[in-house]
Amino acid sequence: MTSLGAAGKTSSASCGRNVFGALIACATLAMCVSAGVSMRGSGGTTMSLAGITWRGEGDLMSQKQHGTCVAPVQQGLRWGCSVKTADNICCFNRHFAEYAGYFESTSFLAEANQERTVFRDSVTGLPLFVAPVGRSWDAFVSESKVHGWPSFRKQEVIWDNVRVLDNGETVSVNGTHLGHNLPDAKGWRFCINLVSVAGHALGGGDDDALPVESALQGSDVRSETTD
């Protein structure tokens, strides 16, 4: 996975701090993209999570008011994230990422709520991920450090607001590029740019407050036949 430096320039980066593991992850993503590997199930089915369809259509990332986004990213993003880098990655990009380990260079680890942090769309403020869920904060941070980016499991995704395209690209329902789904032996792993999920709750509310209607729906995966 190629990353964008703080100034928005392309630089070489791996999908993890461990070079060997990074090459495997990058190769997996590259093969999926180049071969057009589908995220669909077999036999004409679309995978769904607890009755919520996660698969996004390509037109989600069509051109809008600001690149693929409905607006520019918010000013004053959480944890001191770069607005310029966020705007490039969220709205004018489909493949590049912040550099590996970027989240460790911010105030995220020092300031995040270790009991429950809600990660919000840097453009719209909609809640996209919640962590930790079903594991400890230390386990979430440890996995994220190994890979170089915040790494979420399916039970930590707010599926009302997140979609996964056929090539694994993970986006918000409003067209914000978030990162990619890079499955490993444990299952789905969402490798997400911190700059894409550093938004504030609209209206000045508690950034870590999770609306009742934004229930987590990731505990079960099943197949449903589609027309």
Side-chain angles (χ1 to χ4, degrees):
M1 201 159 140
T2 306
S3 68
L4 289 174
K9 296 180 179 179
T10 303
S11 61
S12 177
S14 66
C15 281
R17 308 302 291 275
N18 180 286
V19 175
F20 182 69
L23 290 174
I24 294 175
C26 290
T28 300
L29 174 59
M31 287 188 293
C32 287
V33 172
S34 63
V37 173
S38 176
M39 301 293 288
R40 297 176 71 90
S42 60
T45 62
T46 296
M47 300 301 291
S48 66
L49 296 166
I52 304 297
T53 300
W54 53 262
R55 181 177 179 269
E57 301 296 337
D59 59 4
L60 270 177
M61 301 302 284
S62 62
Q63 291 298 300
K64 304 180 184 67
Q65 293 92 323
H66 189 72
T68 64
C69 298
V70 296
V73 300
Q74 300 175 0
Q75 296 297 309
L77 293 173
R78 299 175 76 183
W79 309 303
C81 287
S82 166
V83 171
K84 181 176 181 179
T85 300
D87 204 57
N88 285 336
I89 289 175
C90 292
C91 305
F92 298 96
N93 158 69
R94 303 291 301 279
H95 306 292
F96 297 114
E98 66 199 20
Y99 62 80
Y102 174 84
F103 76 96
E104 294 185 71
S105 73
T106 70
S107 62
F108 170 69
L109 292 178
E111 296 179 358
N113 183 340
Q114 297 187 15
E115 293 186 3
R116 185 185 71 182
T117 292
V118 176
F119 298 81
R120 295 177 176 275
D121 190 321
S122 292
V123 175
T124 66
L126 284 175
L128 304 176
F129 301 91
V130 179
V133 174
R135 56 178 171 170
S136 69
W137 173 258
D138 288 344
F140 165 71
V141 171
S142 177
E143 182 172 59
S144 298
K145 286 183 175 180
V146 166
H147 295 290
W149 284 267
S151 295
F152 301 93
R153 294 295 171 172
K154 69 179 188 294
Q155 71 272 13
E156 295 171 325
V157 183
I158 299 176
W159 290 104
D160 285 349
N161 302 327
V162 175
R163 294 291 182 268
V164 184
L165 306 187
D166 279 352
N167 65 356
E169 183 182 5
T170 303
V171 303
S172 79
V173 293
N174 297 116
T176 304
H177 174 82
L178 306 176
H180 286 83
N181 179 21
L182 300 174
D184 59 15
K186 297 178 182 178
W188 287 3
R189 178 181 64 83
F190 297 91
C191 186
I192 301 299
N193 296 288
L194 185 66
V195 297
S196 298
V197 292
H200 292 282
L202 296 182
D206 181 357
D207 289 332
D208 287 324
L210 189 62
V212 174
E213 62 271 18
S214 296
L216 292 168
Q217 306 261 358
S219 60
D220 193 28
V221 179
R222 67 182 185 210
S223 297
E224 292 183 348
T225 302
T226 56
D227 296 333

